[in-house]
Amino acid sequence: EAGVAQSPRYKIIEKRQSVAFWCNPISGHATLYWYQQILGQGPKLLIQFQNNGVVDDSQLPKDRFSAERLKGVDSTLKIQPAKLEDSAVYLCASSPSDWSEQYFGPGTRLTVT
Amino acid sequence: AQTVTQSQPEMSVQEAETVTLSCTYDTSESNYYLFWYKQPPSRQMILVIRQEAYKQQNATENRFSVNFQKAAKSFSLKISDSQLGDTAMYFCAFVSNNNDMRFGAGTRLTVKP
């Protein structure tokens, strides 16, 4: 069974630039999550999708972050414009239901300079 | 609000010995799941073990076992016969059916040869 795929693995941008991350969940998993993990901390949920609908985006900074999950499969997370404090690892995870164990992708390490 | 606390930022253990990582949580929910995830330097979050709150029996997965004390809201992870490959960050996580998954701040475990 293929795992959760994410790209790119690394990205370096200057502040005020835009960036997008892509995630392909495990086939058949209805629930998809985006997390932000700042160095030295545990992951923090940014947004949760159930199929192509948003379940929870209460911690998503909506003035600069956006996410979509068209057709209920792949998802993209965008930051526009980026700030220095957005430097973090962005993790995508998927699960068969909304409260079972989550399967994580390898993450994208973003550095904003 | 649900919170997860890992009070040991760093721990070390000699190869082949046993180590216990602590986790406490706070919730008013009666049914929930608890997890331990491992995050090696590669950043991939890997599920180590899960525990369902309504099950009294402690979960076990090979060298990994938990001590689940529901009344005390404690969920510690015991790693027996520690191996060099166990070196990683370990995150305790909690999820209930109406909340997103919450992670602790993590414990950095180093297995020494």
Side-chain angles (χ1 to χ4, degrees):
Chain A
E1 177 182 80
V4 177
Q6 288 188 250
S7 67
R9 292 296 307 275
Y10 303 90
K11 189 74 177 178
I12 301 174
I13 61 172
E14 296 181 352
K15 59 184 178 182
R16 291 187 290 275
Q17 287 187 326
S18 302
V19 65
F21 312 128
W22 173 82
C23 172
N24 181 246
I26 292 174
S27 177
H29 281 192
T31 311
L32 184 148
Y33 311 79
W34 282 103
Y35 289 89
Q36 180 191 60
Q37 186 178 20
I38 293 172
L39 185 66
Q41 299 180 16
K44 183 186 81 171
L45 181 71
L46 292 175
I47 189 167
Q48 176 184 342
F49 292 94
Q50 183 76 15
N51 297 308
N52 61 347
V54 175
V55 173
D56 182 359
D57 63 356
S58 57
Q59 299 189 84
L60 187 73
K62 298 180 185 62
D63 57 333
R64 298 185 299 106
F65 286 65
S66 64
E68 60 182 9
R69 190 184 184 196
L70 299 177
K71 301 180 182 178
V73 181
D74 292 8
S75 178
T76 56
L77 176 69
K78 297 179 181 177
I79 307 175
Q80 179 179 7
K83 292 184 176 182
L84 295 176
E85 58 261 37
D86 298 332
S87 293
V89 174
Y90 290 85
L91 296 166
C92 179
S94 69
S95 67
S97 66
D98 62 357
W99 65 314
S100 60
E101 61 264 34
Q102 298 175 19
Y103 298 83
F104 285 81
T108 297
R109 180 179 297 279
L110 173 68
T111 302
V112 182
T113 62
Chain B
Q2 276 68 225
T3 59
V4 179
T5 303
Q6 293 179 251
S7 59
Q8 304 153 316
E10 295 188 26
M11 292 195 71
S12 64
V13 62
Q14 290 296 131
E15 194 175 9
E17 293 188 347
T18 296
V19 64
T20 299
L21 308 183
S22 300
C23 173
T24 59
Y25 58 95
D26 185 28
T27 183
S28 58
E29 301 287 336
S30 59
N31 197 17
Y32 47 86
Y33 287 81
L34 294 159
F35 305 91
W36 278 98
Y37 280 90
K38 169 185 176 181
Q39 188 177 41
S42 66
R43 302 198 308 265
Q44 184 90 41
M45 293 277 278
I46 303 164
L47 179 68
V48 174
I49 199 165
R50 60 176 272 172
Q51 175 79 43
E52 296 161 43
Y54 64 88
K55 289 187 176 180
Q56 292 184 334
Q57 186 173 6
N58 288 325
T60 299
E61 287 288 340
N62 300 314
R63 298 183 295 108
F64 299 88
S65 61
V66 298
N67 183 4
F68 174 47
Q69 301 289 327
K70 190 171 184 178
K73 296 180 181 174
S74 170
F75 182 61
S76 60
L77 174 70
K78 185 173 81 171
I79 306 174
S80 304
D81 186 26
S82 296
Q83 300 176 0
L84 296 178
D86 295 334
T87 293
M89 285 289 290
Y90 285 82
F91 291 97
C92 178
F94 165 102
V95 68
S96 64
N97 65 347
N98 58 0
N99 288 102
D100 56 86
M101 184 173 283
R102 297 297 173 106
F103 289 83
T107 296
R108 183 178 302 280
L109 177 66
T110 302
V111 180
K112 299 179 178 179

